[in-house]
Amino acid sequence: MTKEITYLEAIREALQEEMRRDPKVFVLGEDVGPYGGAFGVTQGFVEEFGERRCLDTPISESAIIGISVGASLRGYRPVAEMQFGDFISCAFDQIVNQAATLRYRYGGRASVPIVVRAPCGGRVSGGLYHSQNTEAWFIHRPGLKVVAPSTPYDAKGLLKAAIRDDNPVIYMEHKYLYRRARGPVPQDDEEIVEIGVAATRREGDDITLLTYAAMVQPALEAADELAKEGVEVDVIDLRSLLPFDKAAIFRSVEKTGRVLIAHEDVKTLGIGAELSAVIVEERFDWLDAPVVRLTYPDTHCPFAPALENFNLPDAGKIAAALRRLAAY
Amino acid sequence: MTKEITYLEAIREALQEEMRRDPKVFVLGEDVGPYGGAFGVTQGFVEEFGERRCLDTPISESAIIGISVGASLRGYRPVAEMQFGDFISCAFDQIVNQAATLRYRYGGRASVPIVVRAPCGGRVSGGLYHSQNTEAWFIHRPGLKVVAPSTPYDAKGLLKAAIRDDNPVIYMEHKYLYRRARGPVPQDDEEIVEIGVAATRREGDDITLLTYAAMVQPALEAADELAKEGVEVDVIDLRSLLPFDKAAIFRSVEKTGRVLIAHEDVKTLGIGAELSAVIVEERFDWLDAPVVRLTYPDTHCPFAPALENFNLPDAGKIAAALRRLAAY
Amino acid sequence: MPSIKRTKFRLTNDQLLEILYWLKLIRAFDERLSVLVRQGKVRSGVYTGLGQEAIVVGTCYGLRREDYICPLHRDLGTFLMKGVEPGVMMAQMFAKATGLSKGRDSALHSGVPELGIFGNTSMLGSNLPVAAGIGLTFRMEQVDHVVIAYFGEGASNTGDFHEALNFAGVQRLPIVFICENNLYAYSVPFEKSMAIEDVAVRAQSYGFDGVAINGNDVLAVYQATQGAIRRARTGEGPTLLECKTYRWHGHSEHDKAFYRTDEELAMWRSRDPIPTFTTYLQHMNVLEPARLEEIDARINTTIDEAVTFAENSPEPEPTDAITDLYA
Amino acid sequence: MPSIKRTKFRLTNDQLLEILYWLKLIRAFDERLSVLVRQGKVRSGVYTGLGQEAIVVGTCYGLRREDYICPLHRDLGTFLMKGVEPGVMMAQMFAKATGLSKGRDSALHSGVPELGIFGNTSMLGSNLPVAAGIGLTFRMEQVDHVVIAYFGEGASNTGDFHEALNFAGVQRLPIVFICENNLYAYSVPFEKSMAIEDVAVRAQSYGFDGVAINGNDVLAVYQATQGAIRRARTGEGPTLLECKTYRWHGHSEHDKAFYRTDEELAMWRSRDPIPTFTTYLQHMNVLEPARLEEIDARINTTIDEAVTFAENSPEPEPTDAITDLYA
Ligand SMILES: Cc1ncc(C[n+]2csc(CCOP(=O)(O)OP(=O)(O)O)c2C)c(N)n1
Ligand SMILES: Cc1ncc(C[n+]2csc(CCOP(=O)(O)OP(=O)(O)O)c2C)c(N)n1
Ligand SMILES: [Mg+2]
Ligand SMILES: [Mg+2]
């Protein structure tokens, strides 16, 4: 049984269901309480779960994560909201040093089942400090997991999986998709989307297109474009960024021999770098062309739409890159 | 004219010469004052420059960077010391959001000529929080520069260049090299090592080996090993990690067609990923074999030597990787 | 007419009228912005300081060009008082090429070194260490300039607040810290984010004075600031002034502010700093009706011209998205 | 013999002797570590708490198993008092497979959930938000356990300190914050890192009590802690206890501590918490010489056995370098 809802509603549903299922799950963050969160994700939560399980915090991102780690040591499963993913940099030490290393330094005697929700991404006129894509910093840090859903279905399933996971998970939710992405979502409490498994959104034998989050839709449009020109693109939505689904990627590469990676994060050391490097390392002989990246340029996210659009990858730019790759 | 000194002394000399040359240069950090720094880099500075130009700060990494940014806006060139590079995570927001974006958001009307010295790296029994290699987080952030010298010569020349540079520069100094690396250093005040230029440490036509910092020495040893087996390795010391020297890298790749990247940072989204991706994107047709990475595994840096040695790349592991690559 | 003696810091009648002008100009600027957002001419990210103007004016009035300000998001008025043209500031809000950041960001996210204006990131509290760095250079040079550093009561819970004020205290830097305590941090009321009555007490942790004052009384703010500035200029170190106030609009123009009562808002609207000050000036015979009209007319024109300038300004060149990253 | 009434919190003679035992055991543990570093048997990273034992013992004595501690780097003794075997702790210092972290790190960088021990990273202050999170769960469950959270005066200048104590204050969490003010943060003397007399005043910023006490008087520390614990258990929220003390050795065993005078050290050595307490017990006729010898002998054996256990313990398996990363 499924229901058509938005990406944002899917996030809310996942939280609600997990909080109903497991009394150890609670949420904390700035304005998540009576206000219901800057984007309304936790609307109605105080009424249903009380302020103790939907806790307004002071403006203290570092403490929010530290508190989550502490609670997790006592068996809780806190879901911490960063009001904007950009502010995660204020909690950086608690994430990369405290949360990511705890299990290792404890000799495996404890784990840190926390989720950090980070509303991320551009095309919402957010400017430099309300548009960032910060996944790469965390993908680079062993001990964390990172997910980035593109559909309501995955938004729900991955958040449920993240909450149930015994490791710290950074959950990147894309602001552009909040109300724009609509789709069917399972109403079965137990249906989750496994972390580490990619989804093929479109099959094709000619080019592998690896992408995720708000780039999936333009990637599919570009693929449709190319289909008209006789080029069939395999569009893989990574969904999980750490760990990413090597098996699915390799299966596609073995079939196509050509790879384009599209992401909204900047190019240098964006996840595309790792994907390219791994493919080259392990599937070199299957490649008929260079693995190519289409990304945000190495700069910040400007406010004015004219500027932001210049930077953002879109269907047109992806189609152009696909064409170049097909012609290689 | 040159003099034989250690890596650590070279850092000190660079600081002294720049502070003598330019009254706007000053250093700040924890225990850098009368104590002379945890590693002794600023020994004698208070005597020569006074406490105002060699300022002991409270334990406040975030403030240290914020203060540096403020001072730089008034024409100063602060050199901030992180006592251990690991603690840079406590100053993350001030670096990636404040310093790295200021010029851009100011419409080019200001710049941030600060240097952040980060003693980094392992093989010093430092454990999880005194051994980290954090360069990748900063290479991923537009607006910063990142350098990582391997010799006293470069330690001095790059620090001088970093201080004179009008952008925020993260200066990664490797603790293992402090007293172990000795070598000639120019005594000419004006001799600097340009940021963005790699150094070829050994010429060879068979394999390109890209590396930096404490991995250069083992890389050279491994190359000597391979030479005995008839394989000549081109060893390139990157020195600058952002920007890195694409031209030098491509020249070598065009010659060898085979690339090994060795670094002490972890594999996933370590700089090796970017180097590999760029080479594949732009020099695919020159490649006779997959670009291969030899790195720290994706885990933390353990304390016990038995564990740390298991993780650390060394001459033996590099030689083995070179052999595999030569045989491809 | 004699000059007003209510404060130790004498103000001439012209100065008093100037203060009124600034109060009204800043009010009008924010009010216009509020309309422009609704018209879709200015995109999101508008955080008006309506109701809080006395703090901006009382703290900035009389600053030197060399003095530095480090404002918070509600303090666009400080940019104007420190010398940015209203048209340029409006263009910044329109994200036009003529704005301070050339369209790269809006509001306070840009600065002007020559005018002593620091423009912060969005990260609350992160302007305060920068303020400390600027103050440090004043002390190094042994010049008697000061820094005015602003933050909300909510931002006083960030780590950067603590690290910065501690450093300023131990180094006795010439900084006046202005807390704009408007009782809410977005939706969160003061008492839900800290267990104290006054943010001012926090100064005790850093070894300098903290005082809570009426932030809606422009002369009280001016007097307290001038006292703190005098101490700062003479090497006596920082002061924390907590200005109790209230914001009339929501957190941003998109926030309906259901978290507070109509009564509370009405009560605070009755403490509007502008009529209070206007009446005062009238009672003191400083302000004739004609003069008031003249001021209002001038402000109207200024704002209209600012909007026209912004509207007529060119959009940024798309390729400017990637310039100015490195020096 | 009657029990000692000096504190409201009555202690039997056996308990007083137990306190003496702990003081001496912890002293002996650190002294042995100091020797082992010099012998090269323990690798770097040794920060002894010699001279500060009264704080560890006075704060930990009488804690429940469910109570949580969040120690700082000088507080290895808290691990012992909370139930970690001396041999295991020594093995942790030797980085052996039998140590708490299986050789992955040493000292406080590991923890034991079942014993209520949180082991922090190196980042000073970063244990305090974690302490707040633990305290929050106690309050959620409405159980009356407490958290004892330790930090140096130097660490009280970090952002995390501020964010954590503010949260603890506004949520009235059952936490006792223990500041070990030993006058130095590495080489930096107290007065060069903050402009206040007592770290205790910082509690005022968070709406709870802060008290400065003699950290070298184990009974004074015990009494103050028990008072704070009682308040915490009954829902009255946190307390900050600043324990004035001094560390005899350098910051780490590699630091010659040239930044302080011999006189200062001598003065503080004369305030050694152990002889003071021993003499007191003798005066009170609680401690016969035979008993003292017995205690010393027991401690000697314990430490010897701990070292033997650590020395004989296996090195970690190299491949353990990459395990236990994910659950
Ligand atoms: C570090 C950080 N966390 C969260 C936010 C989101 N945010 C923007 S303004 C605001 C409330 C600020 O309250 P306060 O400091 O009292 O200033 P006010 O808006 O009331 O003037 C919040 C939570 C932010 N900008 N920076
Ligand atoms: C965030 C951070 N910055 C710097 C350090 C390096 N460091 C380790 S201990 C220390 C001094 C700590 O002083 P204090 O908090 O007073 O504790 P004490 O050592 O005196 O017991 C410093 C600077 C660190 N561990 N963490
Ligand atoms: Mg406020
Ligand atoms: Mg100390």
Side-chain angles (χ1 to χ4, degrees), chain C residues 244-259:
Chain C
K244 307 274 194 187
T245 189
Y246 199 78
R247 62 165 156 75
W248 294 351
H249 282 202
H251 167 63
S252 75
E253 290 301 292
H254 295 289
D255 168 23
K256 308 239 168 15
F258 290 132
Y259 43 80

PDB file of all heavy atoms in Angstrom, chain C residues 244-259:
ATOM      1  N   LYS C 244      17.326  45.641  25.684  1.00  0.00           N
ATOM      2  CA  LYS C 244      16.060  44.901  25.697  1.00  0.00           C
ATOM      3  C   LYS C 244      15.131  45.505  24.660  1.00  0.00           C
ATOM      4  O   LYS C 244      14.886  46.715  24.664  1.00  0.00           O
ATOM      5  CB  LYS C 244      15.407  45.020  27.076  1.00  0.00           C
ATOM      6  CG  LYS C 244      16.303  44.630  28.230  1.00  0.00           C
ATOM      7  CD  LYS C 244      16.264  43.134  28.499  1.00  0.00           C
ATOM      8  CE  LYS C 244      16.892  42.863  29.864  1.00  0.00           C
ATOM      9  NZ  LYS C 244      17.060  41.441  30.148  1.00  0.00           N
ATOM     10  N   THR C 245      14.626  44.675  23.801  1.00  0.00           N
ATOM     11  CA  THR C 245      13.805  45.178  22.709  1.00  0.00           C
ATOM     12  C   THR C 245      12.869  44.084  22.207  1.00  0.00           C
ATOM     13  O   THR C 245      12.698  43.056  22.883  1.00  0.00           O
ATOM     14  CB  THR C 245      14.705  45.734  21.580  1.00  0.00           C
ATOM     15  OG1 THR C 245      13.917  46.406  20.621  1.00  0.00           O
ATOM     16  CG2 THR C 245      15.492  44.628  20.918  1.00  0.00           C
ATOM     17  N   TYR C 246      12.312  44.311  21.066  1.00  0.00           N
ATOM     18  CA  TYR C 246      11.332  43.375  20.515  1.00  0.00           C
ATOM     19  C   TYR C 246      11.277  43.589  19.015  1.00  0.00           C
ATOM     20  O   TYR C 246      11.384  44.712  18.543  1.00  0.00           O
ATOM     21  CB  TYR C 246       9.950  43.671  21.119  1.00  0.00           C
ATOM     22  CG  TYR C 246       8.962  42.541  21.010  1.00  0.00           C
ATOM     23  CD1 TYR C 246       9.032  41.460  21.872  1.00  0.00           C
ATOM     24  CD2 TYR C 246       7.952  42.573  20.059  1.00  0.00           C
ATOM     25  CE1 TYR C 246       8.114  40.420  21.783  1.00  0.00           C
ATOM     26  CE2 TYR C 246       7.024  41.538  19.968  1.00  0.00           C
ATOM     27  CZ  TYR C 246       7.117  40.462  20.832  1.00  0.00           C
ATOM     28  OH  TYR C 246       6.226  39.441  20.745  1.00  0.00           O
ATOM     29  N   ARG C 247      11.128  42.490  18.277  1.00  0.00           N
ATOM     30  CA  ARG C 247      10.953  42.681  16.837  1.00  0.00           C
ATOM     31  C   ARG C 247       9.476  42.530  16.509  1.00  0.00           C
ATOM     32  O   ARG C 247       8.820  41.600  16.956  1.00  0.00           O
ATOM     33  CB  ARG C 247      11.802  41.712  16.013  1.00  0.00           C
ATOM     34  CG  ARG C 247      11.501  40.250  16.205  1.00  0.00           C
ATOM     35  CD  ARG C 247      12.111  39.374  15.125  1.00  0.00           C
ATOM     36  NE  ARG C 247      12.308  38.022  15.596  1.00  0.00           N
ATOM     37  CZ  ARG C 247      11.357  37.117  15.755  1.00  0.00           C
ATOM     38  NH1 ARG C 247      10.109  37.417  15.507  1.00  0.00           N
ATOM     39  NH2 ARG C 247      11.638  35.902  16.178  1.00  0.00           N
ATOM     40  N   TRP C 248       8.991  43.488  15.712  1.00  0.00           N
ATOM     41  CA  TRP C 248       7.568  43.485  15.419  1.00  0.00           C
ATOM     42  C   TRP C 248       7.178  42.406  14.423  1.00  0.00           C
ATOM     43  O   TRP C 248       6.147  41.770  14.548  1.00  0.00           O
ATOM     44  CB  TRP C 248       7.178  44.847  14.835  1.00  0.00           C
ATOM     45  CG  TRP C 248       7.326  45.968  15.802  1.00  0.00           C
ATOM     46  CD1 TRP C 248       7.601  45.873  17.144  1.00  0.00           C
ATOM     47  CD2 TRP C 248       7.180  47.353  15.509  1.00  0.00           C
ATOM     48  NE1 TRP C 248       7.644  47.126  17.702  1.00  0.00           N
ATOM     49  CE2 TRP C 248       7.384  48.055  16.722  1.00  0.00           C
ATOM     50  CE3 TRP C 248       6.901  48.057  14.346  1.00  0.00           C
ATOM     51  CZ2 TRP C 248       7.319  49.441  16.785  1.00  0.00           C
ATOM     52  CZ3 TRP C 248       6.827  49.431  14.407  1.00  0.00           C
ATOM     53  CH2 TRP C 248       7.033  50.128  15.618  1.00  0.00           C
ATOM     54  N   HIS C 249       8.009  42.245  13.413  1.00  0.00           N
ATOM     55  CA  HIS C 249       7.664  41.254  12.392  1.00  0.00           C
ATOM     56  C   HIS C 249       8.127  39.879  12.844  1.00  0.00           C
ATOM     57  O   HIS C 249       8.722  39.720  13.903  1.00  0.00           O
ATOM     58  CB  HIS C 249       8.319  41.628  11.064  1.00  0.00           C
ATOM     59  CG  HIS C 249       7.581  42.732  10.350  1.00  0.00           C
ATOM     60  ND1 HIS C 249       7.678  42.940   9.005  1.00  0.00           N
ATOM     61  CD2 HIS C 249       6.719  43.679  10.806  1.00  0.00           C
ATOM     62  CE1 HIS C 249       6.938  43.983   8.660  1.00  0.00           C
ATOM     63  NE2 HIS C 249       6.347  44.438   9.737  1.00  0.00           N
ATOM     64  N   GLY C 250       7.843  38.899  12.013  1.00  0.00           N
ATOM     65  CA  GLY C 250       8.342  37.563  12.306  1.00  0.00           C
ATOM     66  C   GLY C 250       9.855  37.524  12.171  1.00  0.00           C
ATOM     67  O   GLY C 250      10.495  38.519  11.832  1.00  0.00           O
ATOM     68  N   HIS C 251      10.401  36.350  12.427  1.00  0.00           N
ATOM     69  CA  HIS C 251      11.857  36.177  12.324  1.00  0.00           C
ATOM     70  C   HIS C 251      12.341  36.651  10.954  1.00  0.00           C
ATOM     71  O   HIS C 251      13.232  37.484  10.852  1.00  0.00           O
ATOM     72  CB  HIS C 251      12.194  34.709  12.540  1.00  0.00           C
ATOM     73  CG  HIS C 251      13.583  34.362  12.171  1.00  0.00           C
ATOM     74  ND1 HIS C 251      14.664  34.908  12.822  1.00  0.00           N
ATOM     75  CD2 HIS C 251      14.088  33.555  11.203  1.00  0.00           C
ATOM     76  CE1 HIS C 251      15.776  34.440  12.271  1.00  0.00           C
ATOM     77  NE2 HIS C 251      15.458  33.631  11.291  1.00  0.00           N
ATOM     78  N   SER C 252      11.739  36.109   9.915  1.00  0.00           N
ATOM     79  CA  SER C 252      11.949  36.647   8.575  1.00  0.00           C
ATOM     80  C   SER C 252      10.576  37.046   8.059  1.00  0.00           C
ATOM     81  O   SER C 252       9.566  36.804   8.728  1.00  0.00           O
ATOM     82  CB  SER C 252      12.576  35.602   7.653  1.00  0.00           C
ATOM     83  OG  SER C 252      11.590  34.652   7.285  1.00  0.00           O
ATOM     84  N   GLU C 253      10.532  37.635   6.900  1.00  0.00           N
ATOM     85  CA  GLU C 253       9.244  38.083   6.396  1.00  0.00           C
ATOM     86  C   GLU C 253       8.311  36.920   6.053  1.00  0.00           C
ATOM     87  O   GLU C 253       7.141  37.122   5.779  1.00  0.00           O
ATOM     88  CB  GLU C 253       9.444  39.011   5.188  1.00  0.00           C
ATOM     89  CG  GLU C 253      10.058  40.363   5.570  1.00  0.00           C
ATOM     90  CD  GLU C 253       9.204  41.138   6.583  1.00  0.00           C
ATOM     91  OE1 GLU C 253       8.108  41.568   6.221  1.00  0.00           O
ATOM     92  OE2 GLU C 253       9.633  41.289   7.750  1.00  0.00           O
ATOM     93  N   HIS C 254       8.840  35.708   6.097  1.00  0.00           N
ATOM     94  CA  HIS C 254       7.982  34.555   5.811  1.00  0.00           C
ATOM     95  C   HIS C 254       7.388  33.938   7.064  1.00  0.00           C
ATOM     96  O   HIS C 254       6.587  33.017   6.990  1.00  0.00           O
ATOM     97  CB  HIS C 254       8.773  33.490   5.042  1.00  0.00           C
ATOM     98  CG  HIS C 254       9.200  33.961   3.707  1.00  0.00           C
ATOM     99  ND1 HIS C 254       8.306  34.156   2.678  1.00  0.00           N
ATOM    100  CD2 HIS C 254      10.411  34.315   3.231  1.00  0.00           C
ATOM    101  CE1 HIS C 254       8.962  34.606   1.617  1.00  0.00           C
ATOM    102  NE2 HIS C 254      10.234  34.719   1.928  1.00  0.00           N
ATOM    103  N   ASP C 255       7.805  34.417   8.204  1.00  0.00           N
ATOM    104  CA  ASP C 255       7.406  33.815   9.482  1.00  0.00           C
ATOM    105  C   ASP C 255       6.191  34.549  10.034  1.00  0.00           C
ATOM    106  O   ASP C 255       6.228  35.752  10.256  1.00  0.00           O
ATOM    107  CB  ASP C 255       8.596  33.903  10.451  1.00  0.00           C
ATOM    108  CG  ASP C 255       8.208  33.574  11.872  1.00  0.00           C
ATOM    109  OD1 ASP C 255       7.190  32.886  12.074  1.00  0.00           O
ATOM    110  OD2 ASP C 255       8.942  34.003  12.785  1.00  0.00           O
ATOM    111  N   LYS C 256       5.112  33.822  10.280  1.00  0.00           N
ATOM    112  CA  LYS C 256       3.876  34.433  10.784  1.00  0.00           C
ATOM    113  C   LYS C 256       3.927  34.647  12.286  1.00  0.00           C
ATOM    114  O   LYS C 256       3.010  35.220  12.873  1.00  0.00           O
ATOM    115  CB  LYS C 256       2.676  33.567  10.402  1.00  0.00           C
ATOM    116  CG  LYS C 256       2.625  33.217   8.915  1.00  0.00           C
ATOM    117  CD  LYS C 256       1.368  33.693   8.256  1.00  0.00           C
ATOM    118  CE  LYS C 256       1.433  33.604   6.735  1.00  0.00           C
ATOM    119  NZ  LYS C 256       2.524  32.784   6.146  1.00  0.00           N
ATOM    120  N   ALA C 257       4.939  34.138  12.928  1.00  0.00           N
ATOM    121  CA  ALA C 257       5.163  34.385  14.357  1.00  0.00           C
ATOM    122  C   ALA C 257       3.974  33.988  15.236  1.00  0.00           C
ATOM    123  O   ALA C 257       3.575  34.721  16.143  1.00  0.00           O
ATOM    124  CB  ALA C 257       5.564  35.839  14.594  1.00  0.00           C
ATOM    125  N   PHE C 258       3.415  32.820  14.978  1.00  0.00           N
ATOM    126  CA  PHE C 258       2.302  32.332  15.798  1.00  0.00           C
ATOM    127  C   PHE C 258       2.726  32.014  17.229  1.00  0.00           C
ATOM    128  O   PHE C 258       1.889  31.772  18.082  1.00  0.00           O
ATOM    129  CB  PHE C 258       1.690  31.058  15.167  1.00  0.00           C
ATOM    130  CG  PHE C 258       0.958  31.322  13.894  1.00  0.00           C
ATOM    131  CD1 PHE C 258       1.181  30.549  12.758  1.00  0.00           C
ATOM    132  CD2 PHE C 258       0.021  32.360  13.827  1.00  0.00           C
ATOM    133  CE1 PHE C 258       0.493  30.798  11.570  1.00  0.00           C
ATOM    134  CE2 PHE C 258      -0.675  32.608  12.647  1.00  0.00           C
ATOM    135  CZ  PHE C 258      -0.425  31.824  11.525  1.00  0.00           C
ATOM    136  N   TYR C 259       4.028  31.976  17.435  1.00  0.00           N
ATOM    137  CA  TYR C 259       4.536  31.570  18.756  1.00  0.00           C
ATOM    138  C   TYR C 259       4.442  32.668  19.801  1.00  0.00           C
ATOM    139  O   TYR C 259       4.880  32.487  20.918  1.00  0.00           O
ATOM    140  CB  TYR C 259       5.986  31.097  18.622  1.00  0.00           C
ATOM    141  CG  TYR C 259       6.825  31.992  17.728  1.00  0.00           C
ATOM    142  CD1 TYR C 259       7.352  33.180  18.210  1.00  0.00           C
ATOM    143  CD2 TYR C 259       7.040  31.650  16.392  1.00  0.00           C
ATOM    144  CE1 TYR C 259       8.091  34.004  17.390  1.00  0.00           C
ATOM    145  CE2 TYR C 259       7.776  32.486  15.556  1.00  0.00           C
ATOM    146  CZ  TYR C 259       8.302  33.653  16.063  1.00  0.00           C
ATOM    147  OH  TYR C 259       9.022  34.480  15.243  1.00  0.00           O
TER     148      TYR C 259
END
